[in-house]
Amino acid sequence: MSNGPYGLIACDCGALSLLVGGSPLALGLDTGDEPVAFWPLAAIQIGQGADELDVSADDEGGDAWGCRRCGERLLYAHDGTGMAILQGHPEDRGDLASGLTLSQQCTLEALGYRVLAGE
Ligand SMILES: [Zn+2]
């Protein structure tokens, strides 16, 4: 659990950090009712620790990005729909981007996420 401020997300040990730009597409809940935010994958860059980035593909067409050293998972990337799913909701919800496409929303629901209606 390291829900830092959006902009920079670091793992527990600090070896890996990601830079997040722009605004989330939408907010939602994961299968355990924990808050998540859906971002454009293009908004995510590796800040430092590219050598420590451990990308493991799953059976759902996505990749979990984690730290090779501490094992913390930082995000879930879904290449097919160009989305990145991050834990937690941003503090500032005032400027959500354009929202999800229908295919993105269907993919998220198939993965077990719930998309929250815009505020
Ligand atoms: Zn780490």
Side-chain angles (χ1 to χ4, degrees), residues 11-16 67-72:
C11 69
D12 274 343
C13 77
L16 176 66
C67 172
R68 216 180 284 279
R69 286 196 205 176
C70 66
E72 184 176 358

Side-chain angles (χ1 to χ4, degrees), residues 60-79:
E60 313 286 347
D63 301 300
W65 292 20
C67 172
R68 216 180 284 279
R69 286 196 205 176
C70 66
E72 184 176 358
R73 181 169 131 174
L74 291 181
L75 67 75
Y76 182 79
H78 197 265
D79 287 327

